[in-house]
């Protein structure tokens, strides 16, 4: 029994290494394809966005969280459930702005940058920019199904436009990685999915 | 389990992204497959290093292939290779009847022409792993009916 548990954690570690290594290979390839770091950043963000819009469905299916009533709840869910589920880390939430629409996620260690060092000629590369895209895409596509009565099922899509960016990065010499998320606006669509 | 979903999505996005970029550029399809394969190669090399740190020395080629089929495949794709055949002269056929990267795509012949793109990375992965274990190889993939592949 204990041997099985040992193999379980080892394979889990390997899986995150697989992801880390694959991500590294991807960034290396992109750096070769595109001449400058800005283009690579944009491409990573776009790819992250595409991943995010699909990931959110997977996340909602697996985690079964209820609807978030405000941005703070959203932040909690992102940090404590989503990050834990997919990357195995739990960032802390700090630096709430007075209006409650901006906050920072502090990651003590970023699994994407295991084994990575940034060379000097790529100082403006945001290595983990994929994460920003994923967060952005996921929040733009959050949709929850609510059944209100026996005859009617409404699907409420709660779409949020957010701005996500890296403020500190361990690859660039900071002590932690900090992601700043800012709520821009909310688009709410009520789509009655039933026949009448 | 959840990490797997992430890897799947990342992989699919990589394939899509590279082809998107190629379309806007010169439109050289062959280069994309090569790029994917070389990415897989690098990842395979790294993975096999981490993975075989503590395992015993391999006795021969067949032993290495068995390792790939069982432990390596289980780590990466959460299942073992279903069938391993060899002609004992250097050719090995690994058959996976439910290849993880293809299960989400189709369950038959639909989209067959797109399947090779998704296998390029894995071919590179195997080639990289083998190369770090001391074996020079050529890895090709064949899909006749998804999600099985050889």
């Amino acid at each position: 029994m204990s041997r099985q548990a040992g193999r379980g954690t080892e394979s889990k570690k390997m899986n995150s290494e697989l992801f880390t290594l694959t991500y590294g290979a991807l960034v290396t390839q992109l750096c070769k394809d595109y001449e400058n770091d800005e283009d690579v950043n944009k491409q990573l963000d776009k790819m992250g966005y595409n991943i995010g819009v699909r990931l959110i469905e997977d996340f909602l299916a697996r985690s079964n969280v209820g609807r978030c009533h405000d941005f703070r709840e959203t932040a909690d869910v992102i940090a404590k459930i989503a990050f834990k589920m997919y990357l195995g880390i739990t960032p802390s939430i700090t630096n709430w702005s007075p209006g409650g629409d901006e906050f920072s996620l502090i990651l003590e260690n970023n699994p994407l940058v295991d084994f990575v060092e940034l060379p000097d000629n790529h100082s403006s590369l945001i290595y983990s920019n994929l994460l920003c895209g994923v967060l952005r895409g996921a929040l733009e596509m959050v949709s929850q199904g609510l059944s209100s009565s026996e005859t009617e099922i409404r699907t409420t899509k709660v779409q949020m436009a957010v701005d996500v960016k890296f403020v500190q990065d361990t690859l660039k010499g900071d002590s932690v990685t900090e992601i700043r998320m800012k709520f821009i606006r909310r688009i709410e669509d009520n789509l009655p999915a039933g026949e009448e | 389990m959840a990490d797997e979903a992430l890897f799947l999505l990342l992989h699919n996005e990589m394939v899509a992204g590279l082809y998107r970029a190629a379309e806007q550029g010169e439109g050289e399809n062959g280069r994309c497959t090569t790029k994917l394969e070389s990415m897989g190669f690098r990842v395979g090399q790294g993975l096999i290093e981490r993975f075989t740190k503590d395992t015993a020395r391999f006795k021969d080629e067949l032993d290495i292939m068995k390792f790939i089929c069982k432990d390596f495949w289980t780590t990466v794709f959460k299942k073992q290779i279903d069938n391993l055949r060899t002609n004992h002269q250097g050719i090995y056929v690994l058959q996976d009847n439910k290849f993880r990267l293809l299960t989400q795509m189709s369950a038959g012949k639909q989209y067959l022409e797109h399947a090779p793109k998704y296998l390029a990375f894995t071919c590179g992965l195997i080639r990289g792993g083998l190369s770090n274990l001391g074996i020079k190889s050529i890895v090709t993939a064949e899909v006749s009916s998804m999600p099985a592949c050889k």
Side-chain angles (χ1 to χ4, degrees):
Chain A
M1 205 54 182
S2 62
R3 228 174 100 210
Q4 207 171 44
R7 194 148 354 124
T9 44
E10 196 187 289
S11 72
K12 197 147 186 239
K13 196 171 65 119
M14 285 302 148
N15 247 325
S16 71
E17 290 190 3
L18 170 66
F19 186 73
T20 307
L21 288 170
T22 309
Y23 187 65
L26 173 67
V27 178
T28 315
Q29 187 63 45
L30 286 176
C31 287
K32 277 203 210 131
D33 286 344
Y34 295 97
E35 291 306 318
N36 58 26
D37 293 342
E38 264 320 298
D39 281 343
V40 180
N41 290 341
K42 272 202 277 245
Q43 187 70 351
L44 280 175
D45 189 64
K46 196 157 63 161
M47 291 174 79
Y49 182 81
N50 290 339
I51 294 182
V53 304
R54 291 186 193 109
L55 195 69
I56 186 67
E57 279 179 32
D58 184 79
F59 172 68
L60 289 173
R62 274 182 219 269
S63 66
N64 228 357
V65 293
R67 199 183 157 146
C68 290
H69 293 99
D70 59 11
F71 203 47
R72 271 178 201 266
E73 262 191 73
T74 314
D76 270 339
V77 168
I78 294 177
K80 300 197 180 109
I81 309 185
F83 265 89
K84 183 93 207 283
M85 193 187 277
Y86 290 111
L87 292 174
I89 51 169
T90 312
S92 47
I93 305 178
T94 56
N95 278 356
W96 276 100
S97 67
D101 61 349
E102 256 190 78
F103 67 94
S104 289
L105 283 166
I106 310 271
L107 289 80
E108 301 281 310
N109 62 323
N110 183 356
L112 290 180
V113 307
D114 283 341
F115 325 128
V116 176
E117 252 179 39
L118 265 190
D120 293 325
N121 56 338
H122 286 290
S123 52
S124 61
L125 178 69
I126 309 175
Y127 184 81
S128 312
N129 212 24
L130 194 94
L131 280 181
C132 294
V134 174
L135 288 166
R136 201 166 56 88
L139 286 176
E140 249 179 69
M141 285 295 163
V142 171
S143 71
Q144 308 265 350
L146 301 166
S147 69
S148 45
S149 68
E150 316 92 61
T151 53
E152 216 175 58
I153 298 183
R154 273 219 195 106
T155 311
T156 309
K157 236 189 179 91
V158 175
Q159 293 168 297
M160 288 182 261
V162 291
D163 178 50
V164 187
K165 55 179 190 279
F166 274 86
V167 174
Q168 291 189 72
D169 197 346
T170 41
L171 278 184
K172 306 222 173 118
D174 300 314
S175 52
V176 293
T177 304
E178 185 181 341
I179 303 178
R180 189 107 189 121
M181 290 186 68
K182 183 180 157 105
F183 174 80
I184 299 179
R185 63 198 166 87
R186 182 186 197 129
I187 322 152
E188 199 159 324
D189 273 323
N190 267 335
L191 307 165
E195 282 283 272
E196 1 278 301
Chain B
M1 6 133 235
D3 312 324
E4 210 200 335
L6 203 51
F7 173 67
L8 266 174
L9 284 173
L10 177 66
H11 176 259
N12 291 346
E13 191 47 45
M14 263 167 28
V15 177
L18 272 177
Y19 276 84
R20 212 171 27 222
E23 259 166 60
Q24 290 164 355
E26 305 101 46
E28 278 204 40
N29 253 342
R31 282 240 298 270
C32 288
T33 322
T34 319
K35 280 187 204 168
L36 279 170
E37 217 249 353
S38 56
M39 279 164 66
F41 185 77
R42 256 198 299 270
V43 177
Q45 279 181 317
L47 261 186
I48 214 84
E49 259 177 33
R50 310 280 301 169
F51 203 34
T52 54
K53 247 185 340 181
D54 304 316
T55 29
R57 231 182 130 120
F58 293 112
K59 291 193 292 269
D60 59 8
E61 233 174 59
L62 190 58
D63 214 29
I64 297 186
M65 291 314 296
K66 284 203 258 189
F67 172 78
I68 301 258
C69 292
K70 292 206 204 134
D71 302 312
F72 189 65
W73 215 253
T74 314
T75 309
V76 179
F77 297 113
K78 300 281 187 331
K79 65 185 282 292
Q80 293 185 8
I81 286 275
D82 297 307
N83 201 338
L84 170 68
R85 290 203 291 275
T86 176
N87 65 356
H88 291 290
Q89 276 166 16
I91 304 214
Y92 296 86
V93 181
L94 287 72
Q95 182 163 338
D96 189 334
N97 288 330
K98 226 177 154 219
F99 189 52
R100 271 262 139 65
L101 299 177
L102 292 179
T103 40
Q104 312 276 344
M105 225 184 291
S106 90
K109 307 262 182 198
Q110 200 186 18
Y111 298 123
L112 203 56
E113 63 277 5
H114 295 291
K117 297 183 207 165
Y118 292 88
L119 293 169
F121 183 81
T122 314
C123 287
L125 202 68
I126 302 176
R127 192 164 68 90
L130 287 175
S131 120
N132 254 17
L133 288 171
I135 302 183
K136 275 220 229 350
S137 58
I138 301 178
V139 183
T140 54
E142 178 190 311
V143 185
S144 45
S145 166
M146 303 218 238
C149 72
K150 291 197 199 164

